[in-house]
Amino acid sequence: MLFFLVPLRPLVFLSASSCLLALVLLSACGSVPMASLWKLRQLQLETLDPAALRAAVVHSPGLQLHGNALELTVSVSRTLRKPGGAIATERLEEKLPLQELRSTADRSVLAEYETSRTHVQVWRIDPAALPRLQALRERAMGWKGTDDGSRQLGLGLELSGCQQGGSGSRVVTTLLRFTDTGEYIPLVRNLDLAETMPAHELAKRFPACTTR
């Protein structure tokens, strides 16, 4: 799973566990543009539009991603200090089904990423699942005034599909858009999926494509 922790205030970093990404690991498996880090710092829970959220993945044509079998994991967490000084984390989470968007209008804003050597896929949250995300957002906003205000927004996308010929490039670039009129923000560029998970897991998630 590609999982990104975005502190809504004050500093942006990424979290890592097995195939999760960490900023300290990105020198080996990709890079987060500095301009993206600055833009992510400006995110506020109150202004996020669940219906406008888009996820895009740029990959080689030989890597086929399962368009309508993906889930986006969205979480909001906060750290609480209990009586006596103990630290605890409260976390809200939803796993939301995605719908692939194939129209020219949805993909045209990412035209710069579409070349003879790359293919772009775009997803939105299934409209039927939006009330769940809205409810999570409202619960998290209900924390206001009960702590120091620090929040972490977690976004996880578990990719799976197949590889034409059984081998080839598994390098991806991942982008997210948070508002209807906003831009797509690159989160990682040129990430080799082989560096995010063990070889047996990679083979399971991306076997050779079968011909029909």
Side-chain angles (χ1 to χ4, degrees):
M1 178 191 291
L2 303 183
F3 192 86
F4 308 90
L5 272 178
V6 180
L8 297 175
R9 296 291 186 208
L11 182 64
V12 174
F13 64 96
L14 303 177
S15 176
S17 173
S18 65
C19 61
L20 307 186
L21 306 183
L23 187 57
V24 295
L25 297 180
L26 290 177
S27 60
C29 61
S31 62
V32 179
M34 290 302 297
S36 296
L37 294 178
W38 173 253
K39 292 171 184 176
L40 292 171
R41 287 187 64 185
Q42 311 310 308
L43 289 177
Q44 297 186 42
L45 191 62
E46 292 84 353
T47 60
L48 292 180
D49 182 359
L53 185 63
R54 297 289 186 271
V57 178
V58 184
H59 56 87
S60 69
L63 184 66
Q64 297 185 7
L65 301 181
H66 293 156
N68 289 319
L70 302 184
E71 284 186 332
L72 180 70
T73 300
V74 179
S75 66
V76 180
S77 59
R78 63 172 175 169
T79 300
L80 299 173
R81 185 176 297 275
K82 294 185 174 181
I87 300 297
T89 299
E90 183 176 2
R91 177 184 172 97
L92 307 175
E93 179 179 290
E94 286 285 354
K95 293 184 179 295
L96 307 166
L98 298 180
Q99 287 184 346
E100 185 174 5
L101 301 173
R102 301 175 183 270
S103 72
T104 301
D106 288 310
R107 294 156 55 90
S108 61
V109 294
L110 294 165
E112 64 182 287
Y113 292 95
E114 190 90 49
T115 71
S116 60
R117 300 172 57 185
T118 58
H119 179 64
V120 179
Q121 288 180 260
V122 181
W123 294 269
R124 69 174 180 179
I125 297 171
D126 187 329
L130 287 175
R132 291 162 50 197
L133 181 55
Q134 184 63 33
L136 181 150
R137 178 172 173 266
E138 291 175 357
R139 288 175 61 194
M141 290 175 62
W143 290 341
K144 188 174 182 179
T146 64
D147 53 27
D148 65 3
S150 297
R151 305 283 182 269
Q152 290 180 331
L153 171 66
L155 299 167
L157 181 62
E158 187 167 339
L159 303 179
S160 62
C162 66
Q163 180 74 51
Q164 291 183 352
S167 63
S169 173
R170 294 186 177 89
V171 173
V172 301
T173 292
T174 303
L175 309 97
L176 289 176
R177 190 190 75 181
F178 296 95
T179 61
D180 190 47
T181 58
E183 64 180 308
Y184 278 86
I185 301 174
L187 294 186
V188 292
R189 291 187 185 273
N190 303 321
L191 171 69
D192 189 345
L193 294 175
E195 298 182 10
T196 70
M197 65 189 79
H200 70 275
E201 181 69 15
L202 184 68
K204 179 181 178 181
R205 293 189 181 279
F206 298 96
C209 298
T210 58
T211 57
R212 297 182 179 179

